[in-house]
Amino acid sequence: MENIRIEKAKVLKAKPSLDGIPFGTYFSDHMFLMDYDEGKGWHDPRIVPYANFELSPAAVVFHYAQEVFEGMKAYRSPVGDVLLFRPTENVKRLNSSAERMCMPQVPEDIFIAGLNALIELDKDWVPNVPDTSLYIRPFIIATSPQLGVHASSSYLFAIITCPVGSYYSEGINPVRIMIENNDVRAVRGGTGHTKCGGNYAASIRAGERAEKKGYSQVLWLDAITRRNIEEVGSMNVMFKIGGKIITPALTGSVLPGITRKSCIELLKSWGYDIEEREISIDELLAAAKDGSLEEAWGTGTAAVISPIGEISFEGENHLIGNNKIGNLTQRLYDTLTGIQWGKTEDTFGWSVKVC
Ligand SMILES: *Cc1c(COP(=O)(O)O)cnc(C)c1O
């Protein structure tokens, strides 16, 4: 691998207070970049001051959305170490997204070396207030200036980072979720299992409509039968029904979340039965009505575990667990955040020290 060239910023920015800053608006001093050209492969890995890109208006990414991304976090432990959570899982998923979108894969060693060097250089940006972290956004964009619909012949891989405040600054409050029965997010054979910008573009309309009605996110149904539950906005979803844990199977239109995978591994280690299978809206509503739906929660890097206190479908509302966080939801939250922030013993080997 080529050495990473480092160009340091001449002037460092002031660190913002994390109280109430909107998510993802304030970026650290540096970013990691690397170029790809057909015939040459990935080259020129570098860390440079955070700055705007210069791209041709004809760049493929602007017209045909050939783009994939990841979302991860760096956590400050009580002794001041900077930790990542299962970072190679993010590399694998970025590359599986890239494969679907006809984009070149980023070698794991370069991804990890670039990320570690960037975090080390900007380590003062990893906040040390409880429950805060440095959000990390790796992404690949297609840069060839060509309006014909073909895979680009050049790409840019970038990693940018931004400090984020506590997701639950006012305590963990269960969220209200609206089940969407008009728009769909993804269909089998499409790109639902990848983290690509296009999936999000298609989801914004339903999200805005739900927000206007006072719901925090949309629960998506499958695109074909419109009866089976898929996932919530940017989270996978799990239900505790009659003592069993049920989560939609990864059928191709659901994003394979790393938090989802970690929850399944934790729950199995605690002796729970987990069913990864089809679960229909009818089964969920029946369980809500007969009282066997004990808990529901979303899983994702941003919120970790997000209890769901109310679901709404076609104008009917159902409370879950009296709109309070359930015991198992709380235990998952405490265990995962304990491991991520280096506060509890990590028997799974998920936490990786950067510096
Ligand atoms: C990123 C994402 C998730 C959660 O994945 P994690 O790896 O747990 O952060 C779930 N659903 C969608 C659509 C996503 O983009």
Side-chain angles (χ1 to χ4, degrees):
M1 185 186 102
E2 268 175 90
N3 283 335
I4 299 168
R5 178 168 65 78
I6 296 181
E7 182 196 329
K8 287 190 186 167
K10 294 202 174 65
V11 183
L12 299 182
K13 292 185 257 189
K15 313 274 183 305
S17 150
L18 294 182
D19 277 345
I21 62 165
F23 173 82
T25 52
Y26 209 97
F27 297 93
S28 68
D29 289 310
H30 299 92
M31 59 184 177
F32 176 81
L33 301 177
M34 181 165 66
D35 301 308
Y36 179 95
D37 287 286
E38 219 167 73
K40 202 171 168 191
W42 289 108
H43 61 91
D44 198 15
R46 58 202 184 274
I47 290 172
V48 293
Y50 184 91
N52 291 345
F53 293 154
E54 189 168 295
L55 289 172
S56 162
V60 173
V61 63
F62 295 138
H63 305 276
Y64 309 122
Q66 209 191 357
E67 185 265 1
V68 296
F69 67 94
E70 271 305 319
M72 50 205 298
K73 283 174 173 174
Y75 310 87
R76 178 80 68 179
S77 83
V79 295
D81 292 343
V82 176
L83 309 171
L84 294 172
F85 184 74
R86 311 188 80 175
T88 55
E89 293 288 333
N90 293 93
V91 184
K92 278 190 213 139
R93 189 171 61 191
L94 182 80
N95 282 333
S96 106
S97 299
E99 195 275 328
R100 174 64 182 84
M101 306 293 277
C102 245
M103 303 169 81
Q105 316 226 338
V106 178
E108 185 176 300
D109 56 343
I110 304 182
F111 183 123
I112 296 291
L115 176 60
N116 287 359
L118 177 66
I119 291 174
E120 241 186 291
L121 185 61
D122 278 348
K123 67 172 178 287
D124 291 348
W125 285 87
V126 183
N128 54 16
V129 178
D131 302 328
T132 62
S133 58
L134 186 71
Y135 185 79
I136 301 163
R137 169 55 55 86
F139 59 104
I140 313 174
I141 56 173
T143 54
S144 294
Q146 58 175 56
L147 290 185
V149 184
H150 296 287
S152 180
S153 55
S154 58
Y155 296 88
L156 178 69
F157 172 61
I159 307 176
I160 56 175
T161 70
C162 54
V164 292
S166 170
Y167 202 87
Y168 297 109
S169 46
E170 281 143 41
I172 305 186
N173 290 316
V175 293
R176 304 176 72 211
I177 297 286
M178 197 174 95
I179 301 171
E180 173 64 37
N181 59 0
N182 185 56
D183 289 2
V184 293
R185 188 190 84 97
V187 65
R188 267 175 230 183
T191 56
H193 62 295
T194 73
K195 263 183 129 67
C196 71
N199 289 343
Y200 277 85
S203 78
I204 288 173
R205 183 170 73 174
E208 303 265 302
R209 277 199 299 242
E211 238 168 70
K212 270 202 197 106
K213 292 186 184 158
Y215 296 91
S216 68
Q217 288 204 40
V218 165
L219 182 85
W220 299 105
L221 299 177
D222 78 282
I224 295 168
T225 69
R226 309 278 183 111
R227 297 314 288 177
N228 295 320
I229 289 164
E230 299 234 298
E231 61 181 309
V232 178
S234 54
M235 295 188 287
N236 295 108
V237 68
M238 296 186 174
F239 306 99
K240 183 163 179 258
I241 301 179
K244 282 187 190 155
I245 317 300
I246 300 162
T247 190
L250 301 177
T251 50
S253 46
V254 173
L255 198 284
I258 296 161
T259 321
R260 174 189 183 278
K261 179 175 175 171
S262 306
C263 284
I264 291 172
E265 290 170 34
L266 275 176
L267 289 163
K268 282 188 177 156
S269 79
W270 295 339
Y272 280 94
D273 273 337
I274 316 250
E275 297 178 4
E276 290 182 68
R277 63 164 168 87
E278 220 161 61
I279 171 166
S280 70
I281 185 68
D282 309 285
E283 180 180 350
L284 185 71
L285 294 182
K289 281 181 193 147
D290 73 18
S292 59
L293 175 56
E294 299 159 43
E295 301 184 34
W297 63 91
T299 70
T301 297
V304 194
I305 301 290
S306 184
I308 298 171
E310 186 180 335
I311 48 172
S312 164
F313 184 59
E314 295 177 334
E316 251 188 70
N317 288 26
H318 302 271
L319 282 189
I320 302 173
N322 281 322
N323 201 25
K324 296 210 172 64
I325 183 166
N327 289 336
L328 190 60
T329 310
Q330 183 78 54
R331 185 175 177 199
L332 280 169
Y333 178 82
D334 291 342
T335 309
L336 273 178
T337 55
I339 293 172
Q340 288 169 334
W341 272 273
K343 292 179 290 188
T344 31
E345 199 200 346
D346 170 22
T347 53
F348 292 88
W350 288 340
S351 189
V352 179
K353 182 179 159 176
V354 178
C355 55

